[in-house]
Amino acid sequence: TLFRSPRCRVGPLALRARFPRSLGLGSGVAGGGKRTKSQDREGLRALARKGHKRTFIVIAALMIFLYVGGTFVQVWRLQGWDQTRNADAAIVLGAAQYNGRPSAVFKARLDRAADLYRQEVVRYVLVTGGSQEGDRYTEAYAGLKYLISVGVPAEQVIVVDDGSSTWESLQAAQRVLKAKNLKTVLLVSDPYHSLRLLGIGNEVGIEGYVSPTAGRSSFKTLVRETVLVSVGRIIGYRRMVALFE
């Protein structure tokens, strides 16, 4: 044995198990010679580097978890956030339409905007949204037809049919707002959309406040929205469009 004491005995086999060759400790060099102090120090450094790498991975994973988890809480809480106030215009985010007829989701957004106009909260309603391949009408034009049918004067509705994503629609709307000297707007969409709308609005230069439709969103929808907001905040919402929308 190499060591003797009243309490423990450590033999060559135990020493090798405790200090494996991969760490460069407790084993002989090729040919059976003894290791030098510099070789032992190098083994300790290798062990330290491995420990630092593991610590970094754990900390990075924890930070990502906290960031995404915090964003999910924000998306969830803002579902019930309504910033409705007097503004120059309401911007309705487009949604699916079928041969000129708004889908249930789109109809709810348009009804919300029509109510804001009737209550004299806004003077204009901007309807946004382009078309999908094979569509005869754009989402914005379908929105115009519907708003006229529920009593909103055609001259108070502005059609913005450029763009196939939320970012592109709001960017196009910003150009129209600037041309018509309309400064403040209410952003009308589903509740889950609120946090991302505010972020995109800020990015394209819109002074906007959310005025969502009624209802709550599914867990799956909230998770998807959390991913979009989490990525958009880091790389910018414009770049995010190329990845997800």
Side-chain angles (χ1 to χ4, degrees), residues 75 78-81 189-195 212-217:
V75 171
L78 259 66
Q79 284 188 104
W81 202 16
S189 188
D190 292 70
Y192 72 84
H193 215 178
S194 294
L195 185 59
T213 59
R216 307 290 283 185
S217 305

Side-chain angles (χ1 to χ4, degrees), residues 87-132:
D88 294 326
I91 299 179
V92 182
L93 276 298
Q97 58 83 29
Y98 307 103
N99 199 28
R101 292 183 298 103
S103 62
V105 170
F106 195 14
K107 180 176 178 296
R109 298 177 184 181
L110 294 166
D111 285 336
R112 175 64 170 165
D115 287 341
L116 293 173
Y117 177 80
R118 295 190 195 101
Q119 295 165 11
E120 298 184 351
V121 177
V122 298
R123 294 184 292 120
Y124 293 94
V125 177
L126 279 72
V127 284
T128 67
S131 60
Q132 303 295 324

Side-chain angles (χ1 to χ4, degrees), residues 1 15 89 91 96-97 129 131 142 145 152 160 179 193 195-198 206-207:
T1 57
L15 186 60
I91 299 179
Q97 58 83 29
S131 60
K145 287 177 55 182
V152 180
V160 183
H193 215 178
L195 185 59
R196 182 155 56 102
L197 283 180
L198 292 174
I206 290 178
E207 183 182 345

Side-chain angles (χ1 to χ4, degrees), residues 154-175:
E155 60 269 20
Q156 302 306 120
V157 182
I158 302 173
V159 174
V160 183
D161 56 6
D162 295 333
S164 58
S165 68
T166 301
W167 193 93
E168 292 171 349
S169 293
L170 287 182
Q171 184 193 42
Q174 190 275 337
R175 292 194 294 265

Side-chain angles (χ1 to χ4, degrees), residues 166-187:
T166 301
W167 193 93
E168 292 171 349
S169 293
L170 287 182
Q171 184 193 42
Q174 190 275 337
R175 292 194 294 265
V176 174
L177 293 172
K178 185 176 181 179
K180 294 184 174 294
N181 198 31
L182 302 175
K183 299 186 181 301
T184 58
V185 301
L186 298 179
L187 302 169

Side-chain angles (χ1 to χ4, degrees), residues 67 203 227-238 240 244:
Y67 171 67
E203 189 169 290
V227 173
L228 295 177
V229 173
S230 297
V231 175
R233 282 173 161 177
I234 295 174
I235 67 173
Y237 288 99
R238 182 179 184 178
M240 184 208 67
F244 295 102

